Amino acid sequence: MKSLKKNFIYTAIYQILAILIPLITTPYLSRILGAEELGKYSYAYSIAYYFVLFIKLGLDNYGNRSIAYVRQDKEKMSRFFCEIYSLQLINAVIFILLYAVYCAFFSNNNILSYILFGYVLSSMFDITWLFYGIEEFKITVSRNIIIKIISTMCIFIFVKSRNNIFEYTFIISAGCLISQLAVWPFLRNRISFTKVNLRDIFRHLKPNLVLFIPVIAISLYNIMDKIMLGNMSTNTELGYYDSSEKILQIPIALITALGTVMMPRMSNLRANNEKKQVTAIIENSIRVAMFLSCGMSFGIMAVSKTFVPWYYGMDFKPCIVLFLVLLPSCIFLAFANVIRTQYLIPYEKDTVYICGVFSGAVVNLVVNYLLIPKFQAMGAAVGTLLAEVMVCVVQAYLVKDKLQMTSYIKDAFEFIIPGIIMFVFVYNIDFREFNSIFNLFLQVAMGILIYVIIVFLISSDFREFIKKGVNSH
């Protein structure tokens, strides 16, 4: 068995890098390109993203899960890979041609859309699901780290004015394509290519489509809100919203790392009927997810008045209130992510998964439609928050008889309460006598100290969990 700790470290390193790079580039881009140009890019990228979704369908989860089930048998795993990838290839040809038609006849910004062709093409070569299924995270992490660093260097070298939005888009698009191509040489010793027929290929279509339904539903409140903002508001408002949502990715990143690492392991444990181990892992994962999401979300909210003007510039002050609305959604997302990646998907509870995310999508679309015309970016932020709350509540309710949900909710509040106390205290203090960066440093240090102390005082389970983790070394 692969080491969970090593895989989490590899994935966490990449996710931390994924946090640090936007932290470095966002203030630069917000000043060089401005909210309007960033809004144009965000709109074009959101459209391209939908074509990528239709190429991959539910492969990120279905391919990962399918490979995890059969990874002990190389011959069977190779056949599964060839069948599933053939389906991906057929789909890619269809939707890449459709994207070309969109660029030529329907795009509002043909140049940006054409430049993003590389991003859409990259999905044809995306076989990350295979390496996740066999729990070889080091390969994908190493690739992504190198390419992200190079892409970041290119942004600072080639993006120098508002006219460089095309260069910025090309760097992102080319980076995605190179990133996917870079893992193919590693297939040689892991997969034996075999001939497959159409019947074997298309037997994967139905279960793939089932897992595609929640992917589309999630996209409605992760991506459609930007498209709706672009159509119902202004590029500037979209720029504010998109910039605020980038900060949202900071707490989400480590939660995603946890889910990414645990899903193939839980799928394999389920295949081997290891019920006790599954229960223990979910309980510990809830604690880790809540500790990280509550601490980081309430912490970022607490320093928002200092952070936003220093980080983005004074032109982005509307982002302060957007932070306060968007960041609590991370807490509900983290709780739902553990249930989804460690129970619903490994145990093929696809109907529950679909019900949860579709309820969130409906809430988001309705709230966006009602609030964006009047409240613009704030309306979209409220829609995102209510969507994540709905997904979490529906998923938890539908599995309450299968999992120890009451215990999980109790664990969650042991981190939510310290997070709220820390937020109230730090948000209302300001070391004005110091410059902004030192002021921010003091607020962050004070927030961490308050949060950790209160958590350890009120959560005996977490103290025991940390003690076991330390003793295991």
Side-chain angles (χ1 to χ4, degrees), residues 27 30-31 240 307-319:
S30 66
R31 289 167 172 81
Y240 293 146
F307 176 77
V308 169
W310 168 76
Y311 185 66
Y312 292 108
M314 295 303 292
D315 291 343
F316 280 74
K317 285 190 78 173
C319 291

Side-chain angles (χ1 to χ4, degrees), residues 287-416:
R287 290 175 185 145
V288 172
M290 288 297 99
F291 176 75
L292 293 173
S293 63
C294 292
M296 297 180 76
S297 297
F298 285 116
I300 295 169
M301 290 163 61
V303 302
S304 59
K305 289 189 293 186
T306 306
F307 176 77
V308 169
W310 168 76
Y311 185 66
Y312 292 108
M314 295 303 292
D315 291 343
F316 280 74
K317 285 190 78 173
C319 291
I320 294 173
V321 70
L322 292 178
F323 274 29
L324 301 182
V325 176
L326 279 172
L327 280 157
S329 66
C330 293
I331 297 164
F332 297 95
L333 186 150
F335 193 95
N337 182 272
V338 173
I339 303 302
R340 176 170 64 252
T341 59
Q342 299 188 33
Y343 180 71
L344 298 183
I345 294 174
Y347 279 82
E348 299 184 45
K349 304 291 183 182
D350 299 333
T351 303
V352 175
Y353 181 20
I354 291 168
C355 287
V357 294
F358 250 96
S359 63
V362 171
V363 167
N364 186 257
L365 287 174
V366 172
V367 173
N368 282 350
Y369 181 77
L370 293 174
L371 298 187
I372 285 176
K374 185 174 181 180
F375 299 103
Q376 302 181 84
M378 177 55 65
V382 172
T384 297
L385 173 60
L386 294 180
E388 295 294 358
V389 172
M390 179 61 74
V391 172
C392 183
V393 170
V394 170
Q395 280 187 184
Y397 178 78
L398 292 178
V399 299
K400 68 182 189 302
D401 296 328
K402 302 291 183 181
L403 298 175
Q404 300 169 359
M405 202 55 62
T406 303
S407 175
Y408 300 160
I409 293 171
K410 175 182 171 292
D411 287 340
F413 272 98
E414 290 181 352
F415 303 103
I416 292 172

Side-chain angles (χ1 to χ4, degrees), residues 172-190:
I172 300 299
S173 184
C176 290
L177 180 58
I178 295 168
S179 179
Q180 302 303 347
L181 291 172
V183 299
W184 278 81
F186 296 96
L187 275 182
R188 184 178 300 173
N189 298 323
R190 293 167 178 81

Side-chain angles (χ1 to χ4, degrees), residues 16 22 25 34-35 44 87 131 166 170 188-189 197 205 229 247 263 283 289 356 358 376 397 433-434 453 467:
I16 289 169
T25 58
L87 179 63
F131 292 98
F166 302 127
F170 177 78
R188 184 178 300 173
N189 298 323
N197 57 51
L205 182 59
L229 254 178
I247 298 300
M263 190 171 72
E283 186 174 6
F358 250 96
Q376 302 181 84
Y397 178 78
E433 61 271 24
F434 300 112
I453 288 173
K467 185 179 178 182

